[in-house]
Amino acid sequence: MPHIPTSSTDANTMTTTPRTIQKVFLAQEQSEGAGARVRRSIGTPQLRNFSPFLMLDHFSISPGAGFPDHPHRGQETITYLLSGGVDHEDFAGNKGTIGSGDLQFMTAGRGIVHSEMPVQNKDGSANVGMQLWVDLPQHLKACEPRYRDLRAEEIPTVDLDNEKASIKVISGRSHGVDSVRDLAYTPVWILDVTIRPGGTITQQLPTGWNAFAYTLNGTTTFVSGPKSSQGVAPWHNVVFDLFGDSVTALVEEGASEESRFLLIAGQPLNQKVVQYGPFVMNTQEEVYQAMMDYQSNSNGFERARGWRSEIGQSMVH
């Protein structure tokens, strides 16, 4: 993985307006799919209508569990593997595997049916990762489906604060370093941040974009002013106010462990969201049409007729 040094003109030399915290809440664990466990934060009563974000799951898939054949229409899904691996296969013949540190960006567009199943790890451990659903602009909801994979070794990393902090630039920009390529139609920044004891980062974000952090490890202190800070434990969603252009986070000098969190921002879409399960449209009529199209194998779901994924047939392989 390439390590790219910080330029001399980073966020610490610029005037920024810190974003305040709007709310912090624990992502409660629940069942999903066939035996999988997820901690869902976005797409719950705690956080809805947070455009362009529809859902955020922190998932754990043990052997014998998974997400067998299911449809999508009208959104993009971004899957980030933290450990283990996940196989995927769809009705168009696309198949492959993403491993630890890899991402898959899937655009459902007018319709896709696919399966996501865990790799069986030799030690029997679960496969852990994040899945984010992002809304598609109305004019792109009927686009052709596509996949774009990003491998761990392709992601640039920025070292900060005398190597007490590092940021993997999955999508977007950090301290003068751009991500490898744009992977989603809807503009989204995804940054994987690690801060060691005594470290601090200030990350600029596009103004007017919705933003949140999801904490994975350790205790992260988010600072929104000289006298305003909040320590956050793992598995919490930290929702930032829309006003401001930066987020500052640190780990206390005497902390026993480093912290890790995802910092994600997206450009809001000025459109209505009508969702029924995996179908995300702009009107109730369009959702009804999506259900009918899926059931009748038409208007984007033609290849679903008689199709069954190989990986979905055997829950463990």
Side-chain angles (χ1 to χ4, degrees):
M1 180 181 296
H3 283 259
I4 302 174
T6 309
S7 66
S8 58
T9 57
D10 62 17
N12 296 324
T13 65
M14 301 174 66
T15 301
T16 61
T17 302
R19 292 199 182 202
T20 58
I21 293 175
Q22 191 178 98
K23 70 186 299 186
V24 177
F25 64 94
L26 176 67
Q28 299 287 348
E29 191 174 36
Q30 63 186 64
S31 296
E32 187 70 19
R37 303 292 295 175
V38 304
R39 290 185 177 273
R40 181 167 297 169
S41 53
I42 300 176
T44 68
Q46 287 275 15
L47 188 57
R48 294 192 191 277
N49 303 317
F50 195 53
S51 180
F53 307 114
L54 302 165
M55 189 189 79
L56 179 69
D57 279 354
H58 181 188
F59 63 80
S60 178
I61 317 174
S62 300
F67 302 95
D69 305 0
H70 60 279
H72 288 275
R73 175 181 278 182
Q75 80 273 56
E76 297 186 287
T77 66
I78 302 170
T79 306
Y80 183 22
L81 257 292
L82 302 177
S83 63
V86 169
D87 293 332
H88 63 90
E89 180 185 350
D90 73 14
F91 68 2
N94 300 303
K95 59 176 63 177
T97 302
I98 55 173
S100 181
D102 296 341
L103 292 97
Q104 181 189 82
F105 291 69
M106 186 195 78
T107 302
R110 64 197 300 256
I112 201 163
V113 180
H114 75 152
S115 181
E116 301 158 292
M117 302 300 294
V119 169
Q120 187 173 8
N121 301 313
K122 292 182 179 179
D123 61 359
S125 61
N127 301 275
V128 179
M130 307 294 301
Q131 187 168 92
L132 177 69
W133 286 20
V134 181
D135 198 10
L136 273 170
Q138 186 173 14
H139 70 281
L140 290 174
K141 286 190 179 288
C143 71
E144 290 299 317
R146 70 172 187 177
Y147 290 95
R148 302 184 74 181
D149 289 351
L150 181 66
R151 299 300 174 183
E153 59 269 18
E154 298 179 272
I155 302 172
T157 298
V158 185
D159 290 322
L160 304 168
D161 197 11
N162 296 316
E163 299 191 349
K164 289 184 179 179
S166 61
I167 299 177
K168 295 181 182 179
V169 190
I170 294 168
S171 178
R173 165 178 276 256
S174 179
H175 297 77
V177 175
D178 290 319
S179 59
V180 175
R181 52 187 172 177
D182 292 325
L183 294 161
Y185 282 122
T186 301
V188 173
W189 282 22
I190 303 174
L191 306 169
D192 186 342
V193 182
T194 298
I195 307 177
R196 287 165 275 284
T200 302
I201 67 106
T202 295
Q203 172 63 46
Q204 288 203 297
L205 296 174
T207 57
W209 285 24
N210 280 324
F212 67 92
Y214 183 81
T215 54
L216 292 167
N217 298 107
T219 297
T220 307
T221 299
F222 293 94
V223 182
S224 53
K227 298 181 180 180
S228 178
S229 64
Q230 184 169 347
V232 182
W235 308 331
H236 284 72
N237 193 306
V238 182
V239 185
F240 297 105
D241 193 78
L242 195 61
F243 178 76
D245 58 12
S246 68
V247 167
T248 295
L250 59 85
V251 173
E252 300 291 346
E253 185 72 54
S256 60
E257 60 181 335
E258 66 184 24
S259 83
R260 183 184 182 188
F261 63 92
L262 298 181
L263 181 59
I264 300 177
Q267 185 176 50
L269 301 175
N270 184 23
Q271 63 186 32
K272 186 177 180 181
V273 175
V274 180
Q275 181 176 354
Y276 182 79
F279 304 124
V280 184
M281 307 305 293
N282 302 115
T283 68
Q284 194 69 56
E285 291 73 22
E286 289 171 341
V287 168
Y288 290 148
Q289 187 63 52
M291 295 168 63
M292 291 176 61
D293 290 343
Y294 174 55
Q295 291 168 1
S296 63
N297 305 120
S298 59
N299 295 323
F301 290 107
E302 290 85 354
R303 288 174 289 189
R305 187 183 302 277
W307 179 80
R308 296 291 183 276
S309 69
E310 294 179 9
I311 62 173
Q313 299 305 304
S314 54
M315 296 295 283
V316 178
H317 63 287

